[in-house]
Each structure stands twice: as C-alpha cells, then as structure tokens.
Amino acid sequence: MERADGPHTLDRWLADSALRDPGKIAIAAGPTEISYRELADRAARLAGVLRARHRPGDRIATLTGNSAEHVVVFFACALARLVLVPLSWRLSAREIALQLAHAEPGLLLVEPDFAELADGALARLPTAPPTAVLGGVDGAGEPPDDLPLADDPLLMIYTSGTAGRPKGVVLSHANCYWTNLSLSMAVPLRPDDVVLSILPQFHVGGWNVQPLLALWVGATVVLERTFDAGRVLRLIAQRRVTTMMGVPANYLFLAQHPDFAATDLTSLRGAVVGGAPMPEPLLHTWHARGVGLVQGYGLTEAAPNVLCLPGEAARQKVGFAGRPYPYVDVALADPATGELHADLREGELLVRGPAVFAGYWRDREATASALRGGWLHTGDLVWRDDDGYYKILDRLDDMFVSGGENVSPSEVENVIYGHPAVAEVAVVGRPDERWGTVGVAYVVPRSGGAVDATGLIDYCKGELARYKVPREIRVVDELPHSAVGKVLRGKLRTAEE
C-alpha cells in the first residue's frame, strides 16, 4: 500500500496550496471569502477532532447546501482517513433515512437550513447516528499520525437504485486523484483561474469536475449554493469567471435568460458540459457568443471523467462526447451478447482505469453486475467514428423498438430542439398494439410562445425516418429534472406504461 507521502492521496492538497500562496482567496461564497491558509488550518483542526472520536473508514454524513464549511469537512475527512457521505437535500425524509440506514455513519453534520428535514429522517430510524451542526464541531486537535493510503475510501456518493435500494458509490483517494490528474491534462486549470461551481456538492461533479482541481492548483472557486441563471450571468461578469461546469439544462437556461445577449462573457475562456448530450443548436448558441464548450461524458462510478471533447474540436465534431481522458481505457461490447469486439462501431461503452471505483457500499450483487470481466459496464449505447471519437446515442434502457427498428430518444430530441418554438424536450416510448412502441415527445414551449403539435410532427417528418417521428406531442409547462438538472426520462416513461 502506498503511503500518503506518495502522489495518490488528497490530504496535502490544501496545505500545499496554502504554502504557495497563503493569502490567496480559495473560496468566494456569496459575500464570504476564505483564504487558503484559513481553509487548510480549519481542515487540519477538524481532522484532529474527528479522529479523536472516529476510527479510519468511519462515514461522516452531511446534509448541507454548497458551502465553504463543507469543503473544510471534505479535507478533514481526507486527513483523518474518514469517508464523506454527502446526502442530497432534495430527497424526502424517507429517502434520506434509507441512505442513513445503509451508510451507518458515525456522525451526521447538518446545516441549520435543513434541520427539519434531518429531524424527519432521523425519526424514521430505529437507531439514529449522533448529529451536530455543520461548522459547530468544537475543539482543537492535531491531525492524526497514521497518514491515508491511496486505496482508503474518501467519498461515497449515492446514485439511483432499484426497488428502493440505495446504491453508494465508494471512491478512494486514488480514484479522486487520478480523475483530477486526467482532467488537468485535458482541461487544465491555472492559479489565476476563477472557477464558478454550480453543481451540488452531493453530486460527484460538485467535487471532481473542477472544484478539487482548482484547489489543488491554487485557483479561486466561486461557490454557488443553487443555480439561478440571472445570478450566474451576473457572477460571470462581476467575478471575471474564467471557466465553469454545468449540465446542458444549465446552459439552456442561461442562453434563454433575457440578460444573456448583453452579459459580458469575455472572461469566460471556456466551459465544461456533461451529464447528458448537448443539443447541437445550443452548442451553436454558445459558440456564437465566443465561448468554447468542452464536451464531456462520465458517470459517478468512474469518478466521473471518461470522455472529453476539447473546445477546439467541438466545432468539427458537433454532437460527440469526445475521446478518452488520459489514464482511461474504453471498449465497446455487443449489447445483446456482452462480447467485446475491437472492430465494433456501435455498442455499450465499457470503461477501466485507476479512477474506476472498486464497488458499491455493501452491495456485492450490484458491484458484480457493474464490474464484469475487468470493465465497468456503463449501460450507455455509443458510436465510434473513424477518428476514435465517441458519440453517446442513448441509455440502453431508454432506447425503444418501433416496428422492429431501434429508436434513440436523444436523436429525436436533437431534431426537435432545432424548432424555434421549443425550449426543452424529452422523448420516451409508449406501448402500441401495432408497432410495439411509438415515441411520445414532451415539449416545453419557449417563453411567451406556443407549440403547434401538428406542425411540429410535420417538421420531424422532414428531418427523421418515419418510424422515428413521435406519434404524439404533449405540451407541458416543465419537465422532471434530477438534482443536477438532467431530464428524468424514466419518470415520463413510467407515466406511459
């Protein structure tokens, strides 16, 4: 096992940045600014307190919005060989109780804003963990002498499970180290960068897509509690933000905001988009404003970075997710047989490398299903071109067969996004006696506009094969989204079954 004085643990990152530039602002959260020296000192003190009360490998759960104090807890856990389990404040008390029962944390830290939610969850547990207010753990202690190992678990992120079973993705120090190293080689950050962080810290992207790398290199992180398009546009101009990361919905809402055209975006030298395929018309909108969008693809189990399409390639490879990050291997498997074929052009994407997780917390069955034959099976259908670039076609469980032909909802959505009356769209399959399954498009109109369902279907007929054209257009006020803004097709699909 490699010791912490080797390169593959995160415990030194804050302290090293504090040595280089102690007075530099590490985090700007609203009116509060915290220097690297203060952040590193607070993390070290908290690490000593926590290790006096907990053993290596114990879980420290949190229920909080994005905050500098949460960053202190993350690095305290890194120093103390503890595991941070950030819970989503968007869940119900019942769902949080299920995750607490599964994780069995030694401590739950709660931000006052979510005290009522926490109380509701704890009341459902036969044995509740000790709780404390986030930022209110008193005392002072020296960081422990037993330094972390590369394989020590550091972060446990819950993803959607089946049949009500929580799935905790356990990421080690090494997993987080390697994904940040590969990110730094593909989309580098500099000490003079100002990184806007809008993804929630209960999501892996809230840590491993820019924020942790920014703190490693000594940049400044502008940390937002929640996403508000108007406020984000103001922050880009006022803070002279140089880069940010978001999901397509974030960039869609920014582009649709009335202030978008007039906002000064000249400081924004690039931005990262991931979580779902970016609609081509939206890419062109941002390119027209002079902002290069780095396309990406990843998943929590890969910590999360897998594919990357740098801004300079995005204009030639519109709609692609890119090629593998450094230190990431990918392969394609036949969806029907699971067999790997080197010459396969379309299939399920498989991933391996040092950033891929070792397994789900206390779930051997799910771990064995995800990690087969030495590869992480993503469940995503992709296509590879002659240059080795990959395009995400769809989730295998979102695809449907209509009249014997495979239909990719993402392909249909990409066409509908090109219609000027459409703000947002999601396509799902609906059972049909004649064709087996037909497409239904849920469409949100642009503000102040209206969608003519017949006209939109005619528009699709001019752009798509007949079997891909949605049988029905349903105009809705909004679509269901996940905590990070991804459209939840599964909820729409369930309504059609």
Side-chain angles (χ1 to χ4, degrees):
M1 287 282 190
E2 186 171 3
R3 301 303 307 181
D5 53 2
H8 300 151
T9 57
L10 276 62
D11 50 300
R12 294 179 50 137
W13 283 14
L14 273 187
D16 286 347
S17 292
L19 283 174
R20 291 194 302 268
D21 197 348
K24 175 78 176 290
I25 299 302
I27 294 178
T32 303
E33 295 184 342
I34 300 177
S35 70
Y36 272 98
R37 178 194 288 116
E38 180 183 358
L39 202 61
D41 288 348
R42 287 171 59 186
R45 290 196 302 270
L46 181 58
V49 174
L50 292 176
R51 266 305 298 273
R53 306 173 185 178
H54 303 279
R55 296 176 299 176
D58 280 356
R59 279 77 57 209
I60 305 297
T62 56
L63 189 60
T64 175
N66 291 357
S67 70
E69 192 61 47
H70 205 191
V71 178
V72 171
V73 175
F74 176 94
F75 280 99
C77 288
L79 284 161
R81 302 185 69 187
L82 302 172
V83 187
L84 177 64
V85 187
L87 304 176
S88 170
W89 48 266
R90 294 188 174 180
L91 297 178
S92 67
R94 181 191 66 82
E95 292 166 318
I96 291 172
L98 286 173
Q99 293 183 359
L100 286 171
H102 184 247
E104 294 186 330
L107 178 66
L108 171 63
L109 297 173
V110 182
E111 189 177 31
D113 287 356
F114 304 106
E116 184 178 349
L117 179 60
D119 289 344
L122 294 170
R124 294 171 177 263
L125 298 175
T127 304
T131 63
V133 176
L134 184 78
V137 177
D138 297 324
E142 294 296 323
D145 292 330
D146 57 332
L147 300 175
L149 304 170
D151 288 339
D152 278 348
L154 173 59
L155 190 60
M156 189 159 87
I157 303 289
Y158 276 98
T159 63
S160 300
T162 57
R165 291 172 53 191
K167 290 171 64 178
V169 176
V170 181
L171 300 175
S172 67
H173 276 259
N175 293 149
C176 294
Y177 171 87
W178 283 105
T179 201
N180 278 282
L181 178 63
S182 65
L183 180 65
S184 74
M185 299 174 72
V187 192
L189 294 179
R190 308 186 301 250
D192 62 345
D193 271 313
V194 178
V195 178
L196 179 60
S197 179
I198 60 175
L199 292 187
Q201 289 176 329
F202 57 74
H203 186 275
V204 68
W207 299 102
N208 279 337
V209 186
Q210 292 194 329
L212 285 182
L213 178 57
L215 296 172
W216 190 8
V217 304
T220 294
V221 176
V222 177
L223 188 58
E224 278 290 276
R225 284 184 64 81
T226 56
F227 175 78
D228 177 86
R231 177 171 168 77
V232 166
L233 290 171
R234 290 193 297 273
L235 281 172
I236 291 172
Q238 293 169 1
R239 288 281 187 176
R240 305 302 295 165
V241 170
T242 61
T243 186
M244 60 180 288
M245 190 273 174
V247 298
N250 296 137
Y251 294 102
L252 175 66
F253 299 150
L254 289 169
Q256 291 177 346
H257 195 276
D259 295 339
F260 179 70
T263 298
D264 182 1
L265 302 179
T266 55
S267 65
L268 201 59
R269 62 179 176 83
V272 180
V273 58
M278 185 76 158
E280 293 181 21
L282 187 56
L283 273 174
H284 295 311
T285 297
W286 281 86
H287 288 164
R289 287 299 323 271
V291 180
L293 290 178
V294 176
Q295 300 290 286
Y297 161 86
L299 64 164
T300 306
E301 290 84 345
N305 303 311
V306 175
L307 301 174
C308 178
L309 185 68
E312 60 270 17
R315 298 176 189 274
Q316 287 75 43
K317 297 288 184 178
V318 172
F320 281 79
R323 293 190 286 199
Y325 276 93
Y327 306 109
V328 176
D329 295 324
V330 300
L332 296 183
D334 186 317
T337 66
E339 295 181 358
L340 276 68
H341 298 287
D343 58 348
L344 203 64
R345 301 295 294 273
E346 182 176 310
E348 182 185 6
L349 184 67
L350 310 187
V351 183
R352 68 181 179 189
V356 172
F357 81 141
Y360 298 103
W361 175 251
R362 294 176 176 171
D363 197 333
R364 292 184 179 179
E365 181 181 347
T367 297
S369 177
L371 300 172
R372 306 192 303 274
W375 293 88
L376 169 63
H377 291 243
T378 68
D380 287 310
L381 184 68
V382 305
W383 178 76
R384 182 183 61 212
D385 74 1
D386 292 334
D387 299 320
Y389 288 87
Y390 292 81
K391 176 178 285 191
I392 309 300
L393 299 179
D394 238 312
R395 291 288 301 168
L396 287 173
D397 54 10
D398 281 338
M399 301 280 291
F400 60 89
V401 178
S402 185
E405 299 284 355
N406 290 328
V407 179
S408 163
S410 289
E411 180 187 5
V412 181
E413 291 164 0
N414 201 43
V415 167
I416 296 175
Y417 265 119
H419 193 283
V422 174
E424 200 172 11
V425 59
V427 173
V428 297
R430 183 193 71 195
D432 182 82
E433 290 186 2
R434 181 176 183 183
W435 302 107
T437 310
V438 294
V440 177
Y442 287 78
V443 174
V444 178
R446 286 191 177 272
S447 179
V451 171
D452 172 22
T454 302
L456 187 54
I457 288 178
D458 289 340
Y459 172 81
C460 290
K461 289 178 179 178
E463 303 289 332
L464 293 165
R466 190 170 185 84
Y467 66 88
K468 298 179 183 179
V469 175
R471 181 62 53 88
E472 184 179 352
I473 304 293
R474 296 191 179 178
V475 180
V476 295
D477 293 331
E478 61 181 5
L479 298 176
H481 291 88
S482 71
V484 292
K486 294 170 64 174
V487 174
L488 298 174
R489 286 204 200 106
K491 284 193 173 183
L492 300 175
R493 191 169 59 244
T494 299
E496 296 292 338
E497 293 174 349

